């Protein structure tokens, strides 16, 4: 008999990965791929004759998701092995039992079984069969430890598993343990080490001859790369797996590979290719359940794409097949994901072939099957989805009852991933019932759960940005909406609510940056404006469905709040108009109208308060599309905002770098850029003048054109204590980290590589970067969230302050602005960088040639403004 995780049927369910998979199903409406967590293992473990039928029967039940029956069979195998003194078989059976109990969230039973299995290991045994069994035990121990958040212990266990696999001559098993270790490293935040391990596993797999286990190993590696966010490499590896599987003489189930490729194409928004892979996966499936899962994914894709004509026929055909499925975890998930697609379509199409009663019955059957399987995770999943069905039909009492039951079941097995979703749902229901206090409490718990899953949320982010906006961001926004809703017509918002609203806005900014980077890589700490600058005021605007709300943080005073009743659609339309009218070709009247409207919404209600306090700097923590717009160009009817205050942006006050070593006249600067046409970008002849002007004000090194390479920049930064980096080159800020970069002579510096480039200082020259200037970069056209890329550069560089541009700036006016900026810094080191930028912008405003906001307003200071 081949052991549990061998050949193309290896389905070692792992809760640590299933958290990510559940989140993927939640965020993207994708049926959980049955093989996404599989790792290839190739050595045959021969059990005793008596134990064989029970181990094999348990394997079949486990793979079909019938965990309770698998447990019964493996318990029989363990009992028989004990009677016969077959210690290896007992270790194998208890390891498998532990894995099943982990799937169910029964951690104590899983731990007891693992303890007995590990205690029975004889480290002196050196035969291949014992090595294979011990490798499996340590592999499952690593799984258990990662489930409980013990990532370092899991690393050690998987290292031992790898050694035992090597002693057993199981190269595929060893590589599988390396893939497991890579995922543990990611949980610890060690992303580069994780990627190195995956690269090594990929290279080693390439050296092995074609076989079924190699095809499955590549499938496992491709799925791991997909989960870790490297979708391009994931696609290549999965295509290799498919090519090998097709070359094999023996029958091989291609369906899981095709399904994984469909998910990868879907992640890249290649929906036509994804649909084709899903259809091919359904055709190739060797089991009814495998076919149904592919069809569920296909239906969810068309529902997501809002193409009911394509989705409805698939749903109709699926319903009868789902009704006939025997009980299994995968069957429960298929039913729930099916109803998710139905609910999405019900919002788009009034006439559906299935009514709510039929859908409710399907979910009720799923709940009963989950109970029969003694599977609380899938029960919580199905119960919550049934609650959502009642929420959609506005049956609030029943929706609340079912959601509370789902939440209770999820919490009994510490399923925080499921709990987060149902806490959010319960909060929505409570709000509809008018119980605002309870709703706030439940929303807060949902956000705590999401923050506890922060690394997993980042890890699943190869998918489209829209997913985060639709399924995670609303939890934060809806909580802010509740907190800023007065309890009565004339009631004031309590300070506790304002404080929590501010904290939630800050937490949302961090969550968005995590999502941008695809990593939970940001270390945040609470900061009060009082401790930074007594003459600055922080403005927190947030766009809500029916109003634009603002929270004001003033040093030494309670938080303030005001709101303008305006629909979100009108806010978006005004912002889009203003972006367009900032171009000089449009009449001044249109631009000023929009600039004054935005001023009235954001600043006018606080005008007298700001004047009484002698405010010098306004620091904006901007929301949504507001981040793409120049706050300096807001207009009060007489003057621009920059004519009254210095203006700065902060992705979040929690991310501000300290200001221990302020800039001085002796600051060393690295000045680099491109003036010549390169890589399809137009020449920037003004860059030479810009570099020449600032080099007369700053001491340092110049890297221009051919000398402006990644290697030269890295070498200079490592060897010399530069505190200012001025980079005048083409670049783009985008909501996609892969499309956020600076152009060098020999390539691109991507935002994800920036920290490695700029923080690689030699010992003794660790002078922090005080100021990073990115001149000539622009936000991606048509990307409403492109300024995330700007914030990403500011955060990833480690610089205290970043001066950048929102759009491609004028080649003649920019050198003048930069010269004025550095001249003010040099002459007035006691003043802030924000004030230096203000004075430089005023310099252009006072000229007749460049007084239009197009020339001076795209320059924004991000981070520490002092």
């Amino acid at each position: 008999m081949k052991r549990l995780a061998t050949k193309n049927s290896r389905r070692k369910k792992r809760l640590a990965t299933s958290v990510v998979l559940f989140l993927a199903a939640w965020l993207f409406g994708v049926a959980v791929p049955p093989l996404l967590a599989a790792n290839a293992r190739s050595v045959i473990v021969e059990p005793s004759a008596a134990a064989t039928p029970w181990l094999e029967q348990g394997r079949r039940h486990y793979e079909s998701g019938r965990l309770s029956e698998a447990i019964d069979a493996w318990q029989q195998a363990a009992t028989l092995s004990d009677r016969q003194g077959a210690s290896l078989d007992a270790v194998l059976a208890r390891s498998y039992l532990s894995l099943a109990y982990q799937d169910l969230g029964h951690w104590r039973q899983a731990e007891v079984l693992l303890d007995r299995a590990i205690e029975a290991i004889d480290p002196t045994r050196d035969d291949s069969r014992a090595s294979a069994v011990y490798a499996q035990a340590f592999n499952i121990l690593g799984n258990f430890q990662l489930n409980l958040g013990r990532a370092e212990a899991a690393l050690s266990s998987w290292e031992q598993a790898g050694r035992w696999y090597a002693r057993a001559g199981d190269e595929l098993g060893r590589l599988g343990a390396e893939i497991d270790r890579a995922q543990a490293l990611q949980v610890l935040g060690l992303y580069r080490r994780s990627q190195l391990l995956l690269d090594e596993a990929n290279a080693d797999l390439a050296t092995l001859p074609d076989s079924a286990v190699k095809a499955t190993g590549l499938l496992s590696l491709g799925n791991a790369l997909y989960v870790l966010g490297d979708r391009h490499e994931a696609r290549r590896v999965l295509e290799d797996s498919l090519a090998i599987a097709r070359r094999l003489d023996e029958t091989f189930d291609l369906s899981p590979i095709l399904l994984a490729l469909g998910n990868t194409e879907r992640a890249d928004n290649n929906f036509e290719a994804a649909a084709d892979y899903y259809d091919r996966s359904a055709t190739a499936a060797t089991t009814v359940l495998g076919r149904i899962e592919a069809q569920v994914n296909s239906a969810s894709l068309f529902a997501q794409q809002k193409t009911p004509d394509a989705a409805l026929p698939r749903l109709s055909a699926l319903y009868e097949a789902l009704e006939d499925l025997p009980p299994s975890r995968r069957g429960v998930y298929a039913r729930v994901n099916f109803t998710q697609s139905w609910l999405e379509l019900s919002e788009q199409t009034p006439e559906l072939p299935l009514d709510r009663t039929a859908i409710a019955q399907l979910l009720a059957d799923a709940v009963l099957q989950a109970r029969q399987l003694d599977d609380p995770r899938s029960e919580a999943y199905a119960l919550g989805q049934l609650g959502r069905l009642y929420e959609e039909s506005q049956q609030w009492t029943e929706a609340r009852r079912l959601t509370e039951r789902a939440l209770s079941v999820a919490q009994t097995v510490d399923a925080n991933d499921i709990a987060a979703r149902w806490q959010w749902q319960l909060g929505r229901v409570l709000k509809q019932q008018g119980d605002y206090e309870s709703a706030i409490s439940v929303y807060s718990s949902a956000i705590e759960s999401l923050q506890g899953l922060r690394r997993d949320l980042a890890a699943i982010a190869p998918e489209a940005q829209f997913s985060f906006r639709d399924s995670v961001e609303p939890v934060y926004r809806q909580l802010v909406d509740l907190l800023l809703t007065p309890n009565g017509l004339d009631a004031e918002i309590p300070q506790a609510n304002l404080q929590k609203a501010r904290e939630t806005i800050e937490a949302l900014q961090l969550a968005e940056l995590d999502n941008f980077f695809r990593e939970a890589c940001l270390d945040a700490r609470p900061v009060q404006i009082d401790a930074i600058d007594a003459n600055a005021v922080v403005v927190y605007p947030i766009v809500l469905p029916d109003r634009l709300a603002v929270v004001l943080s003033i040093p030494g005073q309670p938080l303030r709040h005001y709101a303008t009743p305006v629909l979100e659609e009108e806010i978006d339309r005004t912002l889009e108009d203003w972006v367009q009218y900032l171009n000089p070709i449009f009449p001044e009247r249109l631009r000023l109208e929009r600039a004054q409207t935005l001023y009235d919404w954001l600043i006018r209600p606080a005008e007298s308060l700001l004047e009484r306090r002698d405010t010098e700097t306004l620091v904006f923590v901007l929301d949504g599309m507001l981040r793409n717009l120049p706050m300096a160009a807001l207009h009060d009817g007489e003057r621009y905002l920059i004519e009254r205050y210095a203006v700065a942006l902060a992705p979040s006050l929690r991310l501000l770098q300290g200001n221990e070593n302020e800039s001085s006249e002796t600051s060393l600067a690295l000045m680099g850029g491109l003036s010549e046409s390169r890589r399809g970008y137009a020449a920037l002849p003004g860059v030479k003048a810009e570099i020449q002007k600032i080099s007369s004000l700053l001491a340092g090194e110049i890297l221009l054109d051919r000398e402006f390479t990644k290697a030269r920049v890295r070498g200079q930064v490592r060897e010399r204590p530069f505190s200012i980096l001025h980079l005048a080159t083409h670049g783009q800020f985008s909501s996609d980290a892969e499309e956020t970069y600076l152009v060098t002579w020999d390539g691109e510096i991507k935002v994800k590589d920036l920290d490695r480039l700029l923080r690689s200082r030699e010992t003794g020259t660790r002078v922090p970067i005080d100021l990073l200037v990115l001149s000539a970069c622009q936000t991606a056209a048509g990307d409403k969230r492109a300024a995330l890329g700007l914030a990403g550069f500011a955060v990833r560089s480690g610089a205290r302050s970043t001066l950048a541009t929102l759009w491609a700036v004028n080649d003649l006016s920019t050198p003048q602005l930069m010269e004025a900026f550095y001249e003010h810094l040099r002459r007035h080191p006691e003043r802030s960088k924000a004030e230096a930028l203000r004075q430089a912008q005023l310099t252009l405003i006072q000229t007749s040639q460049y007084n239009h906001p197009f020339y001076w307003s795209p320059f924004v200071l991000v981070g520490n403004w002092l």
Side-chain angles (χ1 to χ4, degrees):
M1 182 199 81
K2 292 191 175 182
R3 65 191 178 85
L4 174 68
T6 187
K7 207 179 176 184
N8 64 312
S9 62
R10 298 163 183 83
R11 296 183 175 95
K12 180 177 69 87
K13 306 291 186 179
R14 297 173 46 210
L15 185 58
T17 303
S18 74
V19 169
V20 175
L21 298 184
F22 176 84
L23 287 166
W26 165 21
L27 295 177
F28 315 122
V30 178
V32 178
L35 279 179
L36 196 54
N39 279 346
R41 307 285 191 265
S42 55
V43 170
I44 297 173
V45 179
E46 297 292 347
S48 64
T52 297
W54 294 110
L55 284 168
E56 174 64 19
Q57 190 179 106
R59 179 187 66 81
R60 289 198 304 270
H61 290 321
Y62 183 83
E63 289 177 0
S64 65
R66 299 159 69 181
L67 302 184
S68 182
E69 294 172 52
I71 286 171
D72 289 343
W74 285 334
Q75 187 61 61
Q76 290 281 1
T79 301
L80 284 171
S81 300
D82 287 340
R83 286 177 187 168
Q84 297 174 355
S87 62
L88 289 181
D89 294 337
V91 170
L92 197 62
R94 290 194 171 92
S95 298
Y96 292 165
L97 275 168
S98 175
L99 188 62
Y101 278 120
Q102 289 176 52
D103 267 12
L104 293 172
H106 297 165
W107 304 111
R108 181 56 188 159
Q109 295 97 313
E111 186 172 30
V112 168
L113 287 160
L114 270 178
D115 286 345
R116 288 192 64 183
I118 298 298
E119 285 170 5
I121 288 177
D122 180 1
T124 64
R125 289 192 63 164
D126 198 23
D127 59 277
S128 61
R129 181 172 180 271
S131 296
V133 171
Y134 298 162
Q136 180 75 308
F138 275 109
N139 189 47
I140 294 173
L141 175 62
N143 177 82
F144 174 80
Q145 290 162 332
L146 192 63
N147 286 338
L148 297 186
R150 307 171 191 166
E152 291 182 357
L155 273 178
S156 175
S157 295
W158 279 322
E159 285 172 1
Q160 293 186 70
R163 287 194 289 270
W164 283 113
Y165 280 127
R167 289 172 68 173
D170 182 356
E171 181 62 8
L172 262 296
R174 185 190 68 78
L175 292 175
E178 293 295 280
I179 294 171
D180 290 333
R181 288 181 62 219
Q183 297 190 54
L185 286 168
Q186 194 205 23
V187 170
L188 291 170
L190 303 173
Y191 302 98
R192 295 191 192 92
R193 284 181 58 191
S194 173
Q195 192 63 55
L196 286 173
L197 270 182
L198 289 174
D199 290 344
E200 290 171 6
N202 195 358
D204 289 343
L205 276 169
T207 66
L208 299 177
D210 287 357
S211 67
V213 290
K214 179 177 179 180
T216 307
L218 287 169
L219 171 59
S220 301
L221 176 60
N223 282 321
L225 288 164
Y226 170 90
V227 168
L228 293 176
D230 191 350
R231 60 183 181 270
H232 302 298
E233 184 63 12
R235 179 186 292 106
R236 189 193 67 76
V237 169
L238 289 169
E239 287 171 347
D240 287 349
S241 173
L242 183 62
I244 291 170
R246 283 175 170 160
R247 288 197 295 267
L248 296 174
D249 294 333
E250 60 184 293
T251 302
F252 194 99
D253 186 0
L254 301 178
S255 179
I257 308 174
L258 293 165
L259 186 64
L261 279 165
N263 291 336
T264 304
E265 294 295 341
R266 187 173 185 170
D268 269 344
N269 294 328
N270 299 327
F271 298 117
E272 186 175 343
D276 180 60
Y277 274 123
Y278 289 152
D279 288 344
R280 289 161 61 189
S281 175
T283 302
T286 59
T287 66
V288 172
L289 186 54
R291 174 176 56 80
I292 286 174
E293 286 170 327
Q295 290 172 333
V296 168
N297 271 28
S298 180
S300 74
L301 174 68
F302 288 112
Q304 174 193 325
Q305 287 302 103
K306 303 189 186 313
T307 52
D309 290 344
L312 288 175
R314 288 168 166 79
L315 287 177
S316 299
L318 269 171
Y319 181 78
E320 291 184 8
L322 285 167
E323 278 192 310
D324 296 334
L325 270 183
S328 71
R329 167 179 278 190
R330 288 168 57 192
V332 171
Y333 283 177
R335 285 175 171 85
V336 174
N337 289 328
F338 170 87
T339 63
Q340 171 79 18
S341 297
W342 185 91
L343 281 168
E344 288 186 25
L345 285 169
S346 70
E347 298 172 0
Q348 308 164 28
T349 309
E351 298 295 331
L352 288 175
L354 301 168
D355 61 19
R356 287 183 183 272
T357 303
I359 298 300
Q361 186 59 55
L362 192 69
L363 283 171
D365 291 344
V367 172
L368 289 175
Q369 289 190 6
R371 288 176 184 161
Q372 291 170 14
L373 297 166
D374 191 23
D375 187 346
R377 285 185 62 84
S378 58
E379 181 185 353
Y381 191 24
L383 270 171
Q385 188 71 356
L386 187 55
R388 188 187 167 200
L389 187 67
Y390 281 98
E391 180 196 8
E392 289 292 319
S393 60
Q394 299 184 15
Q395 294 175 259
W396 308 119
T397 301
E398 190 64 12
R400 176 174 179 173
R401 184 183 67 82
L402 288 165
T403 306
E404 286 176 338
R405 282 177 57 195
L407 188 55
S408 176
V409 173
Q411 289 171 337
T412 61
V413 290
D414 297 325
N416 289 336
D417 52 316
I418 300 176
R421 178 171 190 172
W422 303 144
Q423 285 163 336
W424 177 27
Q425 181 167 292
L426 181 58
R428 298 195 305 267
V429 172
L430 289 167
K431 179 185 177 182
Q432 289 295 333
Q433 291 185 313
D435 189 351
Y436 282 19
E437 187 174 342
S438 296
I440 287 172
S441 175
V442 175
Y443 266 103
S444 300
S445 297
I447 288 176
E448 287 177 13
S449 297
L450 288 173
Q451 290 173 338
L453 296 167
R454 187 179 170 202
R455 296 190 189 280
D456 290 320
L457 284 168
I460 58 171
E463 274 67 8
Q465 286 278 6
F466 114 121
S467 309
F468 177 88
R469 294 203 301 275
D470 283 3
S471 301
V472 177
E473 183 178 332
V475 186
Y476 292 85
R477 291 191 179 281
Q478 289 167 18
L479 176 56
V480 173
D481 193 350
L482 277 167
L483 291 165
L484 299 182
T485 298
N487 187 14
L489 292 177
D490 299 321
E492 289 190 5
I493 307 294
Q495 273 298 305
N497 282 26
L498 291 178
Q499 185 61 42
K500 190 168 186 62
R502 172 187 161 171
E503 291 170 1
T504 305
I505 294 168
E506 291 268 356
L508 173 58
Q509 306 296 321
L510 293 176
E512 286 185 300
L513 283 167
D514 280 346
N515 180 250
F516 171 78
F517 285 122
R518 311 303 195 237
E519 302 171 5
C521 58
L522 305 176
D523 296 322
R525 53 189 171 80
V527 175
Q528 296 296 324
I529 185 66
D530 313 55
I532 303 171
D533 184 355
N535 295 314
V537 169
V538 184
V539 185
Y540 295 90
I542 188 160
V543 179
L544 298 172
D546 60 352
R547 64 198 188 279
L548 180 61
V550 177
V551 174
L552 218 60
S553 180
I554 302 171
Q557 290 195 14
L559 294 172
R560 307 296 177 96
H561 162 258
Y562 48 88
T564 303
V566 55
L567 293 178
E568 185 175 358
E569 294 79 8
E570 184 179 344
I571 297 172
D572 288 345
R573 188 165 53 251
T574 301
L575 297 178
E576 289 169 1
D577 286 348
W578 196 39
V579 169
Q580 184 179 15
Y581 296 153
L582 282 165
N583 190 306
I585 66 172
F586 286 94
E588 182 180 54
R589 175 183 57 81
L590 296 177
R591 170 175 54 81
L592 288 177
E593 282 177 359
R594 302 311 186 277
Q596 289 167 22
T597 296
L598 288 168
Y599 182 92
D600 291 341
W601 292 348
L602 295 172
I603 304 299
R604 185 83 67 188
E607 208 170 39
S608 60
L609 181 64
L610 296 175
E611 290 173 354
R612 287 199 306 270
R613 282 200 50 82
D614 295 327
T615 303
E616 295 178 0
T617 305
L618 294 182
V619 181
F620 289 89
V621 180
L622 293 173
D623 178 46
M625 190 181 171
L626 283 165
R627 284 178 293 217
N628 287 11
L629 298 170
M631 294 298 103
L634 295 178
H635 201 276
D636 66 3
E638 297 180 2
R639 292 179 294 176
Y640 292 108
L641 188 66
I642 198 65
E643 295 183 84
R644 301 178 65 179
Y645 306 105
V647 174
L649 307 181
S652 167
L653 287 193
R654 299 186 190 189
L655 295 176
L656 286 186
Q657 300 288 330
N659 207 55
E660 294 85 1
N661 297 324
E662 297 185 5
S663 301
S664 69
E665 294 184 43
T666 59
S667 296
L668 268 183
L670 175 62
M671 296 157 279
L674 290 177
S675 65
E676 298 181 17
S677 174
R678 196 69 181 159
R679 301 177 61 79
Y681 286 93
L684 294 170
V687 164
K688 284 186 178 180
E690 181 177 333
I691 297 293
Q692 185 178 23
K693 285 179 181 294
I694 62 176
S695 64
S696 66
L697 300 170
L698 300 172
E701 195 72 28
I702 295 174
L703 300 176
L704 191 62
D705 292 330
R706 293 179 183 275
E707 294 184 336
F708 183 56
T709 65
K710 288 186 285 186
R712 289 295 304 276
V713 172
R714 181 184 298 111
Q716 288 288 334
V717 169
R718 288 185 63 186
E719 294 167 10
R720 303 192 63 184
F722 296 112
S723 61
I724 297 175
L725 267 68
H726 185 106
L727 307 179
T729 179
H730 283 292
Q732 178 172 276
F733 305 130
S734 168
S735 58
D736 183 348
E738 293 298 315
E739 299 299 325
T740 299
Y741 55 83
L742 301 176
V743 179
T744 63
W745 183 265
D746 59 343
E748 296 173 350
I749 299 174
K750 294 200 171 182
V751 66
K752 281 194 170 185
D753 301 323
L754 197 64
D755 56 346
R756 275 185 287 181
L757 191 75
L758 300 186
R759 301 189 193 193
S760 55
R761 305 295 184 99
E762 297 288 357
T763 303
T765 62
R766 295 185 180 275
V767 175
I769 297 172
D770 186 58
L771 176 64
L772 171 66
V773 178
L774 304 174
S775 176
C777 298
Q778 61 180 318
T779 55
D783 187 344
K784 294 183 179 181
R785 301 162 72 86
L788 275 173
L790 193 161
F793 263 115
V795 169
R796 201 75 172 204
S797 69
R800 294 194 182 107
S801 311
T802 298
L803 176 58
T805 53
L806 293 174
W807 56 76
V809 290
N810 182 271
D811 208 36
L812 298 176
S813 60
T814 299
Q816 294 185 33
L817 184 140
M818 287 298 175
E819 182 182 20
F821 171 72
Y822 284 112
E823 177 67 26
H824 190 84
L825 280 181
R826 187 173 69 86
R827 289 180 177 273
H828 303 282
E830 76 284 359
R831 295 184 184 176
S832 69
K833 299 184 189 72
E835 180 59 24
L837 176 58
R838 174 175 178 264
Q839 292 299 326
Q841 290 172 311
L842 292 177
T843 299
L844 292 191
I845 290 173
Q846 290 160 8
T847 69
S848 59
Q849 190 175 3
Y850 301 123
N851 62 5
H852 192 285
F854 175 81
Y855 299 103
W856 52 263
S857 70
F859 295 89
V860 293
L861 188 70
V862 183
N864 194 318
W865 58 91
L866 293 176

